[in-house]
């Protein structure tokens, strides 16, 4: 069995348990609800899989009522070893629908074949590709979930230092400190059924290679964000990555960034994936969409 299959197999049982028990706050399915309708997302998917300018693979998602000239650059999660635009297509489609913006999901390189900071290098390339295709920085909203949320924040730091930040940024259950020093790794170790602490330790060994985990390209908690745009951080109060988000919000605020922290009680890691099952998932995605719309420079 490959390293990737072993990692996913080891994580599968906790994932399923978290999904169906909803951590410590289960929400029963309600009778009379058309769950199939709630799960459907009426969008048009474009399967053009590369940017001609740089040949970068990915997936475009365009909702029916799109605001032309705006895009969300979304980095998928998966611990830098798994995931793809296809695994996050439905989630990104819901965000695209609610925010009325196209979404681009890049297929960045994964470890251990391509250890960090390969993903960060790809993130910079795809940003440059979007600019080359005609988007201005203020036309782009930047975000991601879990490892993808950390990647988005690392890219945000680079863009702030370049003086070309996006309109805003968001991160769902972000992995921001690969030194694993957040207090919630201890305090929530027995509460987080989705992302066991021992898996996090194994994961960082797999993805870092020889890279120092204190480097801002892999741990945005140690990055700087000069003149950064507004940032929304969402996390579950019972996940081991909770304090990665809490500390990140404090770090941003200390640098003068308008950072909004939203903690959800009793939800699994990246509960957004359960849109249609848990009302908290739709609420979190809707909050993100409203945040993106509210920080559109052409509307403010």
């Amino acid at each position: 069995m490959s390293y990737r299959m072993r990692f996913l197999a080891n994580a599968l049982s906790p994932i399923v348990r978290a999904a169906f028990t909803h951590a410590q706050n289960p929400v029963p399915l309600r009778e009379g609800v058309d769950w199939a309708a709630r799960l459907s997302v009426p969008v048009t998917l474009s399967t053009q899989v590369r940017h001609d300018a740089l040949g970068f693979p990915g997936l475009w998602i365009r909702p029916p009522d799109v605001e032309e000239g705006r895009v969300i650059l979304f980095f998928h999660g998966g611990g830098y070893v798994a995931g793809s635009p296809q695994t996050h297509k439905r989630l990104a489609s819901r965000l695209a629908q609610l925010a009325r913006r196209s979404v681009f999901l890049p297929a960045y390189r994964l470890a251990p074949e391509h250890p960090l900071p390969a993903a960060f290098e790809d993130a910079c390339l795809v940003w440059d590709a979007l600019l080359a295709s005609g988007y201005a920085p203020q036309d782009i909203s930047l975000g991601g979930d879990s490892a993808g949320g950390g990647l988005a924040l690392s890219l945000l730091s680079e863009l702030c230092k370049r003086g070309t930040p996006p309109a805003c940024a968001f991160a769902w259950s972000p992995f921001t400190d690969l030194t694993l020093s957040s207090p919630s790794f201890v305090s929530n170790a027995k509460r987080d059924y989705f992302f066991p602490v021992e898996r996090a330790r194994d994961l960082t060994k797999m993805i870092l290679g020889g890279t120092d985990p204190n480097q801002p390209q892999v741990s945005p908690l140690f990055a700087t964000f000069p003149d950064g745009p507004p940032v929304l951080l969402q996390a579950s109060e019972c996940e081991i990555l909770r304090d990665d988000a809490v500390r990140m919000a404090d770090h941003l605020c200390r640098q003068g960034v308008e950072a909004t922290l939203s903690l959800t009680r009793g939800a699994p890691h990246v509960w957004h994936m359960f849109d249609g099952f848990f009302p908290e998932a739709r609420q979190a995605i809707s909050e993100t969409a409203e945040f993106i719309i509210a920080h559109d420079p052409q509307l403010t």
Side-chain angles (χ1 to χ4, degrees), residues 125-138 140 159 162 164:
L125 284 176
V126 73
W127 174 268
D128 292 339
L130 285 175
L131 297 189
S133 70
Y135 289 100
Q138 62 268 24
I140 306 171
L159 299 177
R162 291 185 189 180
T164 58

Side-chain angles (χ1 to χ4, degrees), residues 30-158:
R30 295 184 291 278
E31 294 183 3
V33 175
D34 185 350
W35 290 101
R38 291 193 64 178
L39 288 170
S40 64
V41 184
V43 299
T44 300
L45 295 177
S46 170
T47 53
Q48 281 285 351
V49 295
R50 60 180 62 250
H51 272 295
D52 292 337
L54 293 175
F56 201 94
L59 177 67
W60 276 103
I61 297 173
R62 294 184 175 89
D65 300 323
V66 66
E67 290 280 349
E68 296 295 341
R70 317 285 206 288
V71 65
I72 300 170
L73 175 56
F74 188 99
F75 293 98
H76 69 78
Y80 295 111
V81 299
S84 72
Q86 292 296 327
T87 62
H88 284 62
K89 178 172 65 177
R90 186 181 156 273
L91 175 61
S93 296
R94 181 64 75 191
L95 178 60
Q97 178 196 45
L98 294 174
R100 302 190 304 278
R101 279 156 173 74
S102 295
V103 174
F104 184 65
L105 289 156
Y108 58 87
R109 288 174 294 168
L110 300 176
E113 295 92 343
H114 305 284
L116 295 172
F120 173 77
E121 294 166 356
D122 286 354
C124 293
L125 284 176
V126 73
W127 174 268
D128 292 339
L130 285 175
L131 297 189
S133 70
Y135 289 100
Q138 62 268 24
D139 299 329
I140 306 171
S141 302
L142 175 64
D145 72 289
S146 194
L151 179 56
L153 291 169
S154 290
L155 175 60
L156 177 63
S157 171
E158 172 66 20

Side-chain angles (χ1 to χ4, degrees), residues 14 19 30 60 67 103 113 117 122 147 173 180 202-203 217 227 232 243-244 255 274:
R30 295 184 291 278
W60 276 103
E67 290 280 349
V103 174
E113 295 92 343
D122 286 354
S173 297
L180 308 184
D202 293 342
L203 179 64
Q217 293 89 347
D227 298 318
L232 172 66
D243 291 341
D244 273 34
Q255 297 186 57
F274 305 117

